[in-house]
Amino acid sequence: MMMAYRSIGSTAYPTIGVVLLGGIANPLTRTPLHTSAGIAYSDSCGSIRSETKIYRDESMHIFFNGVESTDENRSVRRVLERYSDVFEGAFGSKIVSYSSNNFGILSGSSDAGAASIGAAIMGLKPDLDPHDVENDLRVVSESAGRSLFGGFTITWSDGYHAYTEKILGNEAFSGYSIVAFAFDYQRNPSDVIHQNIVKSDRYDARRKHADEHAHMMKEYAKTGDIKGIFDLAQEDTEEYHSILREVGVNVIRENMQKLINYLKILKKEYWNSYIVTGGSNVYVAVENENVEKLMALENTFGSKKKLLRVAGGAWSRRPE
């Protein structure tokens, strides 16, 4: 009889939205109300990441960054219980515990945390359909598919069914870098955004535009037009935050806007394109040949700079 394994570890990378999501159809399944798109990111050595370990235990415990959680809002327990037969086959026990640690993540930690669970489960049972796993992971994060597949992805959704399609691998972005300008403003919880943006009179149009933007980006990807993808991401960011301001959710704060205005001036000197998701970071895409100019900016309006690259998908280690 084969000896059962004791544990498996996995790694996933956080994500940035490029077609931004606002609105959840079902708070339990966290099915998105409309299509969105995103990219996975890390730094040049992959140190920005989420690390997960799932291991055989006497009773289930769930840890985030070393602190035990009741998991009331995370739904990790639900995913682990869903795959109890996989754990029994690999570990000889349906009862497992979970430990997740984030390293250097600016935003998108729930995406990466969810994806790392999926990578571990598929590491134990490789014949699972990753899209079925993604649907189960969505209860932890509505954008789990972005991190699970990595690179540039589109999550197609009609509000009832969602499916993530990988459009480009991270290697397609090798000529570009992303500089994150991290501000010290308090982050708006994603659920505050999801619950308020749907109140806008412009929301139906926003759902339509998000789907159009995703289709346009897919066309840009076919011809390798990375600038086109990022320029449309900036346009999407501007529409999204305009609607949020109208419903009283102000993500782009004073100094963030000052930086954005400065970036638009710099665009006369060299190409750049910015994205703001739901947090207090301004992400700026730039060609590698100009990245030092952006990194050398002295006046960052109180922010701290971090150099990022587009990252690959989630992966698991060999079980032990």
Side-chain angles (χ1 to χ4, degrees):
M1 180 177 177
M2 187 178 70
M3 184 177 294
Y5 296 116
R6 294 170 298 171
S7 67
I8 188 168
S10 59
T11 297
Y13 303 104
T15 70
I16 302 166
V18 292
V19 175
L20 301 177
L21 174 63
I24 299 297
N26 184 318
L28 292 178
T29 64
R30 298 197 71 81
T31 304
L33 270 171
H34 63 75
T35 292
S36 62
I39 53 175
Y41 75 88
S42 189
D43 57 9
S44 60
C45 55
S47 66
I48 298 174
R49 67 200 192 280
S50 180
E51 295 274 359
T52 281
K53 185 177 182 181
I54 297 175
Y55 53 97
R56 187 176 67 223
D57 209 346
E58 296 298 317
S59 60
M60 185 181 290
H61 300 277
I62 295 170
F63 296 92
F64 295 107
N65 296 314
V67 178
E68 188 161 8
S69 169
T70 58
D71 190 47
E72 290 175 356
N73 301 314
R74 297 275 191 152
S75 300
V76 171
R77 183 181 301 273
R78 184 173 161 189
V79 175
L80 296 178
E81 289 173 348
R82 165 75 176 80
Y83 288 95
S84 61
D85 288 347
V86 173
F87 300 132
E88 183 175 38
F91 299 150
S93 171
K94 291 187 174 185
I95 303 172
V96 295
S97 286
Y98 162 90
S99 177
S100 176
N101 289 280
N102 295 332
F103 300 91
I105 294 179
L106 299 169
S107 64
S109 61
S110 62
D111 301 355
S116 64
I117 300 171
I121 290 168
M122 289 188 290
L124 296 173
K125 195 172 184 348
D127 60 345
L128 289 170
D129 185 326
H131 294 290
D132 289 341
V133 175
E134 175 202 355
N135 279 327
D136 290 324
L137 297 175
R138 198 169 280 120
V139 300
V140 180
S141 171
E142 60 273 14
S143 305
R146 295 178 187 171
S147 183
L148 186 65
F149 297 108
F152 166 53
T153 54
I154 296 174
T155 301
W156 306 102
S157 180
D158 59 4
Y160 299 96
H161 306 285
Y163 169 90
T164 297
E165 180 183 6
K166 184 168 184 175
I167 306 298
L168 291 173
N170 56 305
E171 66 280 353
F173 295 83
S174 61
Y176 296 81
S177 296
I178 298 170
V179 179
F181 293 84
F183 289 83
D184 200 24
Y185 294 118
Q186 185 172 351
R187 175 185 174 85
N188 283 280
S190 60
D191 281 343
V192 170
I193 292 173
H194 293 316
Q195 290 162 12
N196 283 278
I197 196 169
V198 296
K199 300 174 184 177
S200 171
D201 293 338
R202 297 164 59 193
Y203 187 69
D204 285 344
R206 169 60 192 163
R207 291 179 66 181
K208 181 181 177 182
H209 291 165
D211 190 70
E212 290 172 351
H213 291 169
H215 278 95
M216 289 171 67
M217 287 184 181
K218 186 173 181 178
E219 290 302 309
Y220 290 146
K222 290 177 181 177
T223 59
D225 187 358
I226 303 301
K227 283 185 180 179
I229 292 172
F230 280 123
D231 282 339
L232 188 52
Q234 177 174 315
E235 184 180 324
D236 190 85
T237 279
E238 290 172 347
E239 178 186 62
Y240 181 81
H241 288 284
S242 170
I243 296 171
L244 283 179
R245 283 190 292 271
E246 291 177 1
V247 295
V249 181
N250 188 18
V251 175
I252 300 177
R253 310 290 283 278
E254 182 181 6
N255 283 343
M256 294 170 71
Q257 187 62 57
K258 287 179 179 178
L259 173 64
I260 288 167
N261 294 341
Y262 187 38
L263 290 168
K264 291 180 177 180
I265 295 171
L266 289 177
K267 201 162 188 173
K268 297 174 182 177
E269 180 184 342
Y270 56 89
W271 176 85
N272 69 77
S273 192
Y274 81 89
I275 300 163
V276 179
T277 57
S280 55
N281 308 295
V282 179
Y283 299 99
V284 187
V286 66
E287 291 168 289
N288 288 342
E289 62 197 62
N290 293 316
V291 72
E292 288 305 321
K293 295 177 184 177
L294 198 55
M295 288 295 289
L297 288 184
E298 291 186 8
N299 184 4
T300 65
F301 303 95
S303 64
K304 295 180 180 178
K305 299 186 290 285
K306 184 74 176 178
L307 185 60
L308 309 175
R309 63 169 178 81
V310 178
W315 53 279
S316 69
R317 293 161 190 76
R318 292 184 64 179
E320 298 177 345

